[in-house]
Amino acid sequence: LLNRLKLEGSKTEADDVLGLDTSLVAEALETGLFAKHDVPLSKAKLPVAWTDEYFMPFDYAHFAVVYDSQTIKQVPKSLDDLVNGNPNEKIILEDPRSSTPGLGFLLWMKSVYGDKAADAWKKLKPRILTTTPGWSEAYGLFTKGEAPMVFSYVTSPAYHIEVEKTERYKAAAFKEGHYLQIEVAGAIASSPELPLAQKFLAFMLTPGLACGTPPRQCIIGDALTRRRYFMTDACSSSVE
């Protein structure tokens, strides 16, 4: 998404850009293509303080290793368990060059292992079944049984519970904690409809958008007091 925006530059036909995350906002801001959003920062209900004047968050979730409870033998309880675990129990990862979850995993490894991250990657390599271009490809392979683990989100099992009525897929709780992804949107400064583009960024945080979003996202809005699978009390159903 960001690479396409760079190619289009100020000639882009987009008014708003949705789908970047906090790992990419600094690079996105360097393009000079975004206008300030003019939305009160207090509208953002997040586990962390929000101070960005150019991008507004519309969903968030912590990354996690999701596993198939019917096929895995040893559930990792830490990133170190994953790195040093049984190489016969594989994990599917995403490419950090084309996938924000892939970039999130790369940054998580760097955050935990620091200067020793390269060594950790060498130890992890035998456990990696494949690296896919994006999350959809990785999760599709996982649910087809190609590997007992995939890098995804702590909210992924909630989708299976809500839609498929199964608790087969679970998120492993890591003692180091979990890397937080916040997805954001921004208004294009050159848009002929800039005032409307800015209004849409405010609309993102209302129940109107949250209730219309498929049950795969965590939407953040004024109605929230805590993170939910359907992220507003105004929706007809929710999963804690």
Side-chain angles (χ1 to χ4, degrees), residues 94-177:
E94 299 87 359
D95 191 332
R97 297 168 297 181
S98 55
S99 165
T100 51
L103 180 58
F105 186 76
L106 180 69
L107 295 173
W108 195 7
M109 289 280 284
K110 181 63 176 178
S111 175
V112 172
Y113 289 101
D115 294 339
K116 297 181 180 179
D119 292 335
W121 275 105
K122 290 179 182 178
K123 294 179 181 178
L124 178 62
K125 185 177 178 179
R127 299 201 77 177
I128 302 173
L129 176 70
T130 188
T131 301
T132 63
W135 176 87
S136 296
E137 298 92 335
Y139 210 80
L141 290 174
F142 167 69
T143 54
K144 288 178 181 178
E146 295 295 323
M149 295 180 289
V150 65
F151 191 65
S152 190
Y153 299 89
V154 295
T155 51
S156 296
Y159 168 78
H160 296 286
I161 294 171
E162 176 68 18
V163 177
E164 299 176 349
K165 311 303 180 185
T166 179
E167 297 184 13
R168 174 177 178 174
Y169 304 107
K170 303 179 183 294
F174 280 12
K175 67 180 183 181
E176 300 98 340

Side-chain angles (χ1 to χ4, degrees), residues 13-18 34 185-188 191 193-194 196-201:
E13 296 181 359
D15 300 303
D16 285 301
V17 176
L18 287 79
F34 292 90
I188 298 296
S191 168
E193 303 291 348
L194 180 57
L196 287 177
Q198 292 168 319
K199 287 183 179 180
F200 179 79
L201 298 181

Side-chain angles (χ1 to χ4, degrees), residues 47-65:
V48 296
W50 191 255
T51 60
D52 198 304
E53 296 181 330
Y54 288 86
F55 299 96
M56 283 301 291
F58 63 91
D59 72 11
Y60 72 90
H62 290 81
F63 289 123
V65 171

Side-chain angles (χ1 to χ4, degrees), residues 206-223:
T206 67
L209 180 67
C211 293
T213 302
R216 288 179 174 83
Q217 301 288 336
C218 291
I219 303 300
I220 47 184
D222 285 339

